[in-house]
């Protein structure tokens, strides 16, 4: 039991938490953007899977992790393009298409993996960490937080970038309006469809990147269904965060700690079934909802396709 | 807050089916369903060609195994039973404007409690009574499980999409914990519940392998359809779904109705789990999650929350999944292709409905 609180163990636990949190963070930030603009993006799990598969394939054949991230993001955008066409441009039901896309990409990525690698699961070399000088020398926290792949720091920086975007830029205001009162935005002379399309495509890029991180850095390989609900967690995070990117980060870290705890407990040989530990993050959020669950301030037009002149 | 679940089109579709369902309408519907499916099969066929599998051979197997072989059609009809219960539960929730996305958690908890209770109960009472009890236990557990999201939505206004999604993750894990720790069959090394003997399961229909759960499922969805369209209770729920504020103003007890909707919806999902266990599987293995709930959601939407149309879509889903499973085995395609097929069918059907809707509108204008 004393091994549980050793410096090395705690450091590994925190490191694992950050690694597990990054895909959730990216997915959550992406979903948040869609939701702000009034699109409930249930297909995010599918976008992450496309990103994970294409990201892995890209990195595997090119040998470059960065190229992998690029192909991963592109994969997410490709799926988002279908979503944007069907749900934003012609206004099909977002839940039907979102679930259909998720199911389809679960199948498609598993299928492609089967025909490409058969039953083998080739691994990528371990991702190279960027060590931040000085900060990484802090005991426990240092090696856990400041020895990650560069993209981790970029993802965290993105949180603040998004916060700035939402509060201080015209595009941020447009996004907000597209979700709250699309008709007003239209009257102001700004194309609602285009604003929402931008939001959905950005979501695709972020989710794809999250998937690519999951496969390339987190696991180092691609296995079918690798996201295992991470996309749905992203939806939950975005809804809990109510439009504030920093809350997505905090939520992602909470989930990350719990996910990392699952593996850490196993390594430490503590005999609690993993299923029990897997319940922790969800339990935590449910308790939070029970205690502080006041009216969630979701955008007024969330989930409703915009049609010019209707109503 | 709630999201508009009932598009205006559903009202007109409802009138069309209940009031004046002329032969031309039915023919038109049939065409609008079969046409898109054909297109979807062509698109999916292109994917098969791309990975080097003969699409015609694949579809041949799907049709033969899912529809035309005696054994296949029996499996297809058997698979329909849990899907029908799930669809019935979703119809109640969606018509009342509430998103119950927690179907899979409710399904699994229902399945596990039925699997735990049935083998014990059959030893102390006649099997029909034991199975009835198991059904009730499964339903009650799923209902209780839905209480948290229901109460939060009813009295705190917490968005039920978040809570039901959370509860479904919790439920899946809890079901696993129950199988592995509490209800584990000590006589096997595999983590699974005790197996209900075949002779104690739901009786089979006539001389076939079709479970009588199919009849229960059909009864459930038809009753739900009639309750939602023909009774005062159904009307109340539809008003809540169409406009919650108006419902409050017209004096409806919205919080109470909300809890009722969740209880009915989850109870039916729990029954879906029970019918799959008591009728077909006989036990629950650890980490078993067929995720039927997720696939049924789009089908219910495409059926415009109409019970009879939902039966058709559930049948289609069963044919594709049973046929796809055996076609995959024969041709060395991974089983996952079924998911791709189902998803393309759903998307093309949704598109076709849009085109049809547009066409109708332009004709009226």
């Amino acid at each position: 039991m004393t091994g549980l609180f050793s410096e090395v163990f705690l450091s590994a636990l925190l490191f694992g938490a950050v690694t597990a949190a990054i895909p959730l963070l990216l997915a959550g930030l992406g979903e948040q953007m869609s939701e702000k603009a009034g699109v409930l993006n249930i297909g995010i799990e599918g976008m992450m899977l496309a990103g994970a598969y294409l990201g892995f394939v890209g990195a595997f054949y090119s040998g470059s992790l960065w190229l992998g991230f690029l192909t991963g993001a592109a994969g997410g955008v490709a799926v988002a393009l279908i979503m944007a066409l069907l749900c934003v441009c012609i206004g099909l039901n977002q839940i039907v298409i979102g679930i259909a896309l998720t199911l389809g990409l679960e199948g498609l990525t598993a299928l492609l993996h089967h025909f490409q690698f058969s039953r083998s699961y080739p691994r990528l070399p371990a991702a190279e960490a960027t060590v931040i000088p000085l900060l990484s020398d802090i005991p426990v926290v240092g090696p856990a937080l400041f020895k990650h792949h560069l993209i981790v720091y970029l993802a965290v920086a993105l949180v603040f970038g998004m916060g700035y975007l939402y509060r201080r830029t015209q595009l941020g205001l447009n996004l907000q309006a597209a979700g709250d009162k699309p008709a007003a935005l239209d009257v102001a002379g700004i194309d609602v469809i285009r604003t929402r399309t931008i939001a959905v495509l950005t979501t695709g890029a972020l989710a794809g990147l999250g998937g690519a991180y999951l496969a390339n850095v987190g696991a180092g390989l691609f296995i079918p269904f690798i996201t295992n609900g991470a996309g749905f967690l992203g939806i939950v995070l975005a809804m809990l965060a109510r439009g504030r990117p920093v809350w997505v980060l905090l939520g992602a870290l909470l989930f990350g700690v719990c996910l990392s705890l699952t593996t850490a407990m196993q390594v430490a040989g503590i005999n609690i079934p993993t299923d029990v530990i897997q319940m922790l993050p969800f339990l935590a959020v449910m308790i939070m909802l029970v205690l502080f669950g006041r009216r969630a301030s979701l955008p007024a037009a969330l989930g409703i396709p915009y049609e010019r002149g209707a109503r | 807050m709630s999201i508009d679940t009932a598009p205006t089109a559903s009202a007109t579709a409802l009138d069309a089916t209940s009031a004046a369902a002329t032969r031309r309408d039915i023919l038109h519907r049939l065409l609008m369903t079969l046409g898109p499916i054909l297109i979807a099969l062509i698109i999916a066929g292109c994917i098969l060609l791309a990975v080097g599998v003969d699409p015609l051979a694949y579809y041949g197997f799907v049709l033969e195994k899912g529809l035309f072989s005696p054994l296949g059609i029996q499996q297809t009809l058997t698979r329909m039973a849990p899907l029908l219960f799930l669809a019935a539960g979703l119809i109640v929730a969606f018509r009342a404007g509430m998103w119950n996305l927690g179907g899979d958690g409710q399904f699994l908890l229902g399945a596990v409690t039925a699997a735990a209770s049935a083998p014990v109960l059959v030893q102390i009472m006649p099997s029909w009574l034991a199975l009835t009890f198991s059904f009730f236990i499964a339903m009650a557990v799923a209902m209780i499980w839905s209480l948290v999201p229901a109460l939060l939505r009813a009295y705190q206004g917490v968005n039920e999409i978040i809570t039901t999604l959370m509860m479904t993750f919790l439920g899946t894990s809890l079901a696993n914990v129950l199988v592995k720790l509490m209800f584990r069959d000590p006589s096997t090394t595999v983590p699974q519940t005790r197996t209900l003997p075949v002779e104690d399961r739901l009786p089979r229909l006539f001389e076939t392998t079709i479970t009588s759960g199919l009849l229960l499922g059909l009864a459930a969805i038809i009753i739900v359809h009639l309750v939602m369209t023909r009774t005062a209770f159904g009307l109340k729920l539809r008003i809540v779904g169409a406009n919650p504020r108006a419902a409050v103003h017209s004096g409806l007890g919205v919080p109470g109705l909300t809890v009722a909707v969740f209880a009915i919806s989850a109870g039916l999902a729990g029954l879906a789990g029970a019918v799959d266990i008591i009728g077909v599987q006989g036990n629950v293995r650890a980490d078993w999650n067929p995720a039927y709930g997720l696939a049924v959601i789009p089908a219910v939407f495409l059926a415009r929350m109409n019970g009879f149309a939902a039966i058709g879509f559930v049948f289609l889903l069963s044919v594709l999944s049973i046929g796809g499973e055996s076609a995959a085995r024969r041709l060395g395609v991974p089983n996952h292709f079924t998911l791709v097929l189902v998803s393309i069918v759903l998307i093309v059907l949704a598109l076709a409905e849009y085109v049809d809707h547009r066409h109708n509108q332009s004709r009226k204008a």
Side-chain angles (χ1 to χ4, degrees):
Chain A
M1 225 25 202
T2 47
L4 203 60
F5 298 100
S6 74
E7 229 173 74
V8 181
F9 180 85
L10 281 179
S11 185
L13 184 71
L14 258 179
F15 184 86
V18 173
T19 308
I22 293 300
L24 301 179
L25 172 68
L26 288 167
L29 285 178
E31 178 70 26
Q32 187 170 49
M33 187 150 202
S34 274
E35 280 180 17
K36 242 185 205 305
V39 180
L40 182 64
N41 195 336
I42 301 265
I44 198 156
E45 178 96 2
M47 295 173 194
M48 286 188 88
L49 274 167
Y53 177 73
L54 283 180
F56 173 77
V57 169
F60 183 72
Y61 287 114
S62 71
S64 153
L65 218 48
W66 285 104
L67 210 70
F69 288 134
L70 208 66
T71 49
V77 171
V79 182
L81 203 60
I82 304 178
M83 177 110 194
L85 271 176
L86 296 178
C87 298
V88 177
C89 296
I90 64 175
L92 294 187
N93 185 303
Q94 293 164 8
I95 303 249
V96 174
I97 300 301
I99 291 177
L101 283 178
T102 293
L103 291 178
L105 275 136
E106 279 178 353
L108 193 62
T109 49
L111 189 76
L112 289 174
H113 179 268
H114 174 87
F115 280 103
Q116 197 155 16
F117 300 106
S118 191
R119 286 189 196 287
S120 70
Y121 300 97
R123 277 188 167 276
L124 294 173
E128 213 172 293
T130 307
V131 181
I132 295 183
L134 294 179
L135 285 175
S136 60
D137 295 332
I138 306 170
V140 183
V141 184
L145 298 187
F146 303 105
K147 277 186 179 170
H148 283 276
H149 190 266
L150 187 56
I151 199 133
V152 171
Y153 311 119
L154 291 179
V156 175
L158 193 65
V159 172
F160 300 98
M162 299 280 261
Y164 180 81
L165 175 84
Y166 292 144
R167 287 208 184 148
R168 305 258 180 243
T169 67
Q170 185 63 41
L171 181 63
L173 286 177
N174 291 352
L175 286 171
Q176 187 98 41
D180 275 331
K181 259 208 166 4
L185 187 66
D186 202 353
V187 170
I190 290 153
D191 193 339
V192 176
I193 303 292
R194 197 191 321 167
T195 310
R196 285 187 171 181
T197 303
I198 291 172
V200 171
L201 294 184
T202 313
T203 304
L206 289 175
L209 197 59
Y213 180 88
L214 193 64
N216 291 354
V217 182
L221 76 174
F222 179 85
I223 40 175
F225 305 95
I226 188 172
T227 49
N228 195 20
F232 289 106
L233 283 179
I235 298 174
V236 169
L237 281 176
M239 287 194 158
L240 288 174
R242 299 176 188 181
R244 277 162 298 191
V246 176
W247 283 88
V248 179
L249 176 64
L250 294 177
L253 282 175
L254 171 74
F255 277 101
V257 168
C258 293
L259 289 173
S260 163
L261 209 58
T262 317
T263 24
M265 292 276 214
Q266 275 172 319
V267 173
I270 293 168
N271 207 5
I272 302 175
T274 50
D275 301 288
V276 175
I277 307 164
Q278 269 166 10
M279 290 164 76
L280 287 178
F282 306 105
L283 213 58
V285 173
M286 281 311 291
I287 291 170
M288 263 162 53
L289 283 171
V290 171
L291 292 179
F292 309 110
R294 291 277 164 240
R295 296 195 173 271
S297 55
L298 288 172
L302 183 64
I304 305 166
Y306 181 69
E307 199 180 331
R308 193 173 243 181
R311 270 189 272 192
Chain B
M1 72 146 271
S2 78
I3 292 159
D4 189 10
T5 41
T8 43
S10 72
T12 50
L14 191 67
D15 293 339
T17 46
S18 60
T22 63
R23 188 173 291 169
R24 239 184 92 227
D25 263 355
I26 294 172
L27 201 70
H28 178 76
R29 279 255 142 242
L30 211 62
L31 209 71
M32 284 311 294
T33 311
L34 293 182
I37 292 174
L38 204 67
I39 296 173
L41 291 183
I42 293 171
I43 299 174
C46 293
I47 296 178
L48 281 178
L49 269 181
V51 292
V53 176
D54 179 6
L56 290 179
Y58 183 89
Y59 291 138
F61 278 125
V62 171
L63 281 181
E64 192 205 324
K65 286 293 159 189
L67 203 55
F68 294 127
S69 83
L71 192 71
I73 187 74
Q74 291 175 24
Q75 282 181 327
T76 298
L77 292 172
T78 299
R79 171 69 54 90
M80 279 178 77
L83 300 181
L84 285 171
F85 272 108
L86 280 165
L90 290 175
I91 288 174
V92 177
F94 291 165
R95 284 231 169 184
M98 286 164 220
W99 295 99
N100 178 11
L101 300 187
D104 280 329
Q106 294 147 9
F107 174 92
L108 280 175
L109 285 174
V112 168
T113 42
S117 58
V120 180
L121 291 174
V122 284
Q123 290 174 349
I124 52 173
M125 55 177 83
S127 102
W128 64 270
L129 193 64
L131 296 192
T132 314
F133 267 120
S134 292
F135 269 118
F136 273 110
I137 295 171
M139 187 173 73
V141 166
M143 280 177 160
I144 293 169
W145 190 249
S146 78
L147 259 177
V148 183
L151 291 175
L152 281 173
R153 159 82 198 242
Y155 296 101
Q156 298 270 2
V158 178
N159 184 301
E160 75 280 9
I161 299 181
I162 316 179
T163 50
T164 52
L165 273 176
M166 304 302 276
M167 294 298 278
T168 214
F169 285 115
L170 274 175
T172 317
S173 296
L174 182 62
N176 269 332
V177 172
L178 290 176
V179 170
K180 286 175 188 165
L181 295 185
M182 284 181 68
F183 302 139
R184 185 174 173 159
D185 182 358
S187 62
T188 61
T189 50
V190 201
Q192 62 179 37
T193 62
R194 295 176 60 186
T195 308
L196 185 66
V198 177
E199 64 272 17
D200 288 327
R201 293 182 198 169
L202 281 179
R204 294 180 165 176
L205 291 176
F206 316 112
E207 298 289 291
T208 66
T209 58
I210 306 168
T211 160
S212 46
L214 173 67
L215 297 183
L216 299 176
L218 284 172
I221 200 162
I222 290 170
I223 291 171
V224 160
H225 182 80
L226 295 178
V227 166
M228 292 309 284
T229 54
R230 303 284 162 85
T231 65
F233 179 67
L235 181 66
K236 282 182 195 167
L237 294 189
R238 279 187 293 152
I239 294 173
V240 174
N243 191 339
R245 284 216 187 122
V248 173
H249 279 291
S250 55
L252 293 178
V254 175
L257 285 174
T258 303
V259 175
V261 166
F262 272 99
I264 297 170
S265 180
L268 285 165
L271 286 176
V275 90
D276 207 17
I277 296 309
I278 293 174
V280 190
Q281 315 281 348
N283 62 21
V284 176
R285 280 156 281 126
D287 299 317
W288 177 69
N289 182 6
Y292 292 147
L294 208 60
V296 169
I297 293 172
V300 169
F301 267 106
L302 290 174
R304 292 173 168 179
M305 298 147 213
N306 177 309
F308 295 106
I311 296 175
F313 279 103
V314 162
F315 178 68
L316 176 67
L317 216 59
S318 302
V319 170
L320 290 180
S321 73
I322 294 287
E325 277 166 22
S326 53
R329 264 200 304 278
R330 299 280 189 87
L331 291 174
V333 187
N335 204 353
H336 310 304
F337 184 71
T338 314
L339 284 172
V340 182
L341 189 59
V342 167
S343 120
I344 295 177
V345 168
L346 290 173
I347 292 177
V348 178
L349 275 171
L351 256 174
E353 205 188 76
Y354 166 80
V355 172
D356 189 37
H357 184 61
R358 262 294 150 93
H359 180 71
N360 282 344
Q361 269 187 337
S362 64
R363 217 172 31 185
K364 266 183 227 159

